[in-house]
Amino acid sequence: LVSKQLTRAKTEMNLAVGASAGFFDRASQFMNKYFLLIGSIFSGITALSMTFRKLAEDVAKMDDVYANVMKTTGLTREEVAELNEELKKMNTRTSREELNKLASEAGKLGITGSKNILDFVEAGNQIRVALGEDLGEDAIKSIGKMVGVFEKSTGFLRKLGLKDQMLAVGSAINELGMSSSASEDYLVQFAGRLGGVSSQAGISIDAILGFGSALDQNMQHVEM
């Protein structure tokens, strides 16, 4: 009797162990089959979450940029948005954030109207690309001021629009920098400091830039 009960218990235990083994085998097969799929799903969800987070941060950042442009230029949000649609069409590696900073600079100079601001941005970006690090940090703003001041004493500037005025001055500075040992930054500072006097004396900007180049080549400080 005891032997029969022992035999029955062993049989039942073997059946239970076999059933457990079968269950774990099936679980293992399921895990192996779907592990990569589940991992890919979770990875995709994580990547998507990070993408949305970065998108939200970028939108918030551009909102701040738009606000700065609106503050200095007096443009409405809709007008700034339209301006940025035009900036997107520009064939340049300059970021849209940097282009909007140029638009803000235009507003600080008293330049108004979407067309004039766009002209300033396009010209300023071309000058920055052409002259690179040769100009100081505020050089684009300085050139914008210069064309407004020297327009009174320089006949050919009066015949040009804002964009062409800035490009003409930027081109002259670039040419003098390449053809002589004069520093482009020096020329900008020199012309900026003499702008008021030159306007009253009727001295054109090309003469001032040539004089500044001669002084710099002779190692005279810009204050001279």
Side-chain angles (χ1 to χ4, degrees), residues 68-200:
N68 287 334
V69 177
M70 292 164 59
K71 181 172 64 176
T72 61
T73 62
L75 297 178
T76 65
R77 184 173 183 80
E78 290 73 19
E79 289 172 327
V80 173
E82 291 174 1
L83 174 65
N84 273 266
E85 289 301 316
E86 295 300 319
L87 297 182
K88 289 178 184 178
K89 300 175 184 178
M90 290 176 57
N91 184 20
T92 179
R93 295 181 180 179
T94 306
S95 70
R96 200 145 52 89
E97 182 179 357
E98 290 297 321
L99 294 176
N100 275 275
K101 286 181 180 179
L102 286 175
S104 294
E105 295 294 344
K108 292 178 182 178
L109 291 174
I111 298 171
T112 58
S114 298
K115 176 65 169 62
N116 290 331
I117 293 170
L118 179 60
D119 284 348
F120 180 90
V121 172
E122 290 178 340
N125 182 58
Q126 289 184 44
I127 293 169
R128 178 179 290 174
V129 171
L131 297 177
E133 298 179 355
D134 295 325
L135 294 177
E137 184 177 349
D138 296 327
I140 304 302
K141 186 193 298 184
S142 298
I143 290 176
K145 289 180 180 179
M146 284 160 52
V147 297
V149 172
F150 281 96
E151 183 180 16
K152 301 172 184 177
S153 62
T154 308
F156 77 89
L157 285 181
R158 292 196 293 269
K159 302 176 183 178
L160 303 175
L162 175 61
K163 179 180 178 180
D164 290 332
Q165 286 177 339
M166 292 181 64
L167 290 177
V169 173
S171 177
I173 293 171
N174 188 37
E175 184 66 29
L176 287 170
M178 290 192 301
S179 61
S180 70
S181 60
S183 162
E184 291 87 349
D185 184 43
Y186 181 101
L187 296 175
V188 171
Q189 291 187 48
F190 184 81
R193 295 186 184 198
L194 284 183
V197 175
S198 301
S199 177
Q200 294 179 6

